[in-house]
Amino acid sequence: MSRVKIGVIGCGAVAQIQHLPNLKHLHKEYEVKVVCDLSLGAAKAAAKRFQIPHFVTDYNKLLEMDVDAVLLCHADPKTEVALAAFDAGKHVFIEKPVCFSLQEVDMMIDAQKKSGKVGQTGYMKVHDPAFQLAKQEVDSMESYRFIQINHLHPRNDLHLSQFDVERFNDVPPDALAPAHAARKKARSDAIGDVSPEEERAFFLLSGSMIHDLYSLRVMLGTPSQVISAEVWADGAGVSIVFAFPNGARCVATWVDLPELWDFKETLEIYGSNKRVLVSYPTGFSRGILSEVTIQGIDSTGTTYTKRPTIEWESAFVRELRHFHACITDGEPCYTSIESARNDIELIINIVKCYANRTIVKCD
């Protein structure tokens, strides 16, 4: 098996809890050569903790090194680094969100095509064994009539406290100014000047609810219309109604419940004679499996409920295995940057629906 030499940019929580341990586990597939973070302390600590030979604070130095691929999990936006990585001839894995505007994603798609390298989005939910089992069931349904998404989100610190996440306060404030300016420009390009409530909802959709939106798209295709969108609780709650070409409706809700420990995220697909329900744990967990429940009526008229056993390998590990296969075996990318464009466009349409109080068609 060919090992891919990889560098990791961003040494924060998702890198420490998920990506770096998983890359170490996948030692036959990957050799982590270098880590990078604006925080010298974070980069140095990650290199020591995960036995990585090199650490830097400038991503340009990483791109000059002997690596085949880069994993981007630094603070958003990631556009500048992604473009530079493709230009340097690297395969690129981009943690969600890929970016915020259509202008950004189109530049990434163009840069990737010019480089001829793999560009994968960190959409781990659709690599989850539970999601893939559920999709097989949904694909076998004659039709679907109703979809429901519930995402009840506690404060991340409640779950991060279960892990030894090393943090450092050594980044000069002016070092963050370019990222803040790029984030502001991306938001302006995407949705223009909006109220603080609309802006918060936009970044919520892009950052957390993006999991629900891409999972919905992969499961059933992109909705045909955004029928309604409501932003409430000062932007801490979002409820959306989507229409699908077959006339089905989806009701999707995200709610910030900061002090409630119990994380809930479900995707439910209802047909006239079958129901498929997927329940996910928080992404800041290890060893907790997603669950699938299938309810239906068999050919004899007997009602049944099934809860299949889910494979133990995590969605985060599976997406890294897939990235490796795309690089070494030419496997088509399941979560390409090009496919992520649909999600960015859908988020923009949701904000338009809310701002203008009108149905928005999704092309």
Side-chain angles (χ1 to χ4, degrees):
M1 180 181 293
S2 176
R3 295 178 80 197
V4 170
K5 292 175 286 187
I6 194 167
V8 177
I9 300 177
C11 299
V14 73
Q16 293 181 44
I17 294 172
Q18 295 290 358
H19 290 305
L20 289 171
N22 292 334
L23 285 167
K24 187 174 181 180
H25 169 71
L26 295 171
H27 59 91
K28 293 181 180 178
E29 288 87 355
Y30 291 99
E31 178 185 2
V32 184
K33 301 279 288 186
V34 56
V35 290
C36 174
D37 198 285
L38 282 175
S39 165
L40 176 60
K44 185 176 181 179
K48 180 179 179 181
R49 184 173 182 176
F50 296 100
Q51 294 84 52
I52 298 165
H54 303 287
F55 60 90
V56 296
T57 58
D58 182 349
Y59 73 83
N60 290 294
K61 292 183 178 179
L62 182 149
L63 295 178
E64 292 171 357
M65 296 178 68
D66 180 25
V67 294
D68 308 305
V70 293
L71 190 161
L72 309 186
C73 48
H74 58 290
D76 303 309
K78 303 181 180 72
T79 307
E80 176 185 317
V81 183
L83 295 176
F86 282 128
D87 187 58
K90 313 299 183 185
H91 302 284
V92 182
F93 182 114
I94 310 176
E95 252 301 343
K96 63 84 188 168
V98 171
C99 57
F100 300 111
S101 71
L102 294 176
Q103 292 90 332
E104 291 174 289
V105 73
D106 286 341
M107 287 192 294
M108 286 191 196
I109 293 168
D110 183 59
Q112 182 204 343
K113 288 180 177 178
K114 288 180 179 177
S115 72
K117 301 298 180 179
V118 175
Q120 180 170 319
T121 302
Y123 283 178
M124 89 287 188
K125 298 286 185 184
V126 299
H127 292 274
D128 193 307
F131 177 90
Q132 295 182 345
L133 190 155
K135 181 161 175 56
Q136 292 175 15
E137 291 289 337
V138 171
D139 288 346
S140 72
M141 292 168 61
E142 292 182 6
S143 64
Y144 58 92
R145 300 174 63 184
F146 177 63
I147 308 100
Q148 182 164 297
I149 291 169
N150 283 316
H151 192 150
L152 310 181
H153 201 293
R155 184 164 39 87
N156 281 335
D157 287 350
L158 292 175
H159 298 130
L160 290 174
S161 65
Q162 309 304 301
F163 298 92
D164 179 18
V165 178
E166 297 183 89
R167 302 180 187 277
F168 298 84
N169 189 27
D170 59 352
V171 179
D174 58 349
L176 302 174
H180 291 160
R183 183 182 175 93
K184 183 177 179 180
K185 182 180 186 305
R187 187 268 302 153
S188 179
D189 288 343
I191 58 173
D193 295 323
V194 296
S195 69
E197 184 179 67
E198 291 164 349
E199 180 178 48
R200 182 177 177 185
F202 171 74
F203 286 120
L204 182 157
L205 289 163
S206 301
S208 182
M209 202 172 180
I210 188 67
H211 289 300
D212 306 293
L213 298 178
Y214 72 69
S215 296
L216 178 66
R217 172 180 57 79
V218 174
M219 184 69 77
L220 298 172
T222 300
S224 55
Q225 293 178 315
V226 185
I227 298 292
S228 66
E230 184 64 28
V231 180
W232 40 283
D234 297 321
V238 176
S239 293
I240 311 154
V241 177
F242 298 113
F244 280 82
N246 69 346
R249 294 292 187 270
C250 171
V251 178
T253 298
W254 189 103
V255 185
D256 181 24
L257 300 173
E259 304 305 324
L260 186 63
W261 164 262
D262 198 15
F263 177 96
K264 295 288 186 183
E265 185 180 5
T266 57
L267 171 61
E268 308 172 14
I269 300 96
Y270 295 84
S272 58
N273 63 357
K274 182 186 280 191
R275 303 168 184 171
V276 181
L277 299 85
V278 190
S279 178
Y280 303 103
T282 171
F284 292 117
S285 67
R286 294 181 65 85
I288 302 175
L289 301 180
S290 298
E291 298 177 352
V292 178
T293 302
I294 303 156
Q295 299 172 337
I297 302 174
D298 65 20
S299 58
T300 68
T302 302
T303 298
Y304 64 85
T305 297
K306 298 189 297 183
R307 293 185 176 87
T309 299
I310 305 302
E311 294 181 35
W312 290 356
E313 188 168 59
S314 79
F316 282 98
V317 170
R318 283 199 168 196
E319 67 177 353
L320 286 173
R321 286 195 190 278
H322 178 64
F323 187 48
H324 180 272
C326 293
I327 294 170
T328 61
D329 299 332
E331 187 171 310
C333 188
Y334 188 46
T335 55
S336 66
I337 296 173
E338 196 163 4
S339 70
R341 191 184 194 280
N342 298 293
D343 308 311
I344 296 165
E345 188 169 29
L346 183 58
I347 289 168
I348 293 170
N349 285 335
I350 293 168
V351 176
K352 284 181 181 177
C353 178
Y354 174 69
N356 300 325
R357 294 296 194 271
T358 186
I359 295 173
V360 176
K361 293 183 178 181
C362 304
D363 297 328

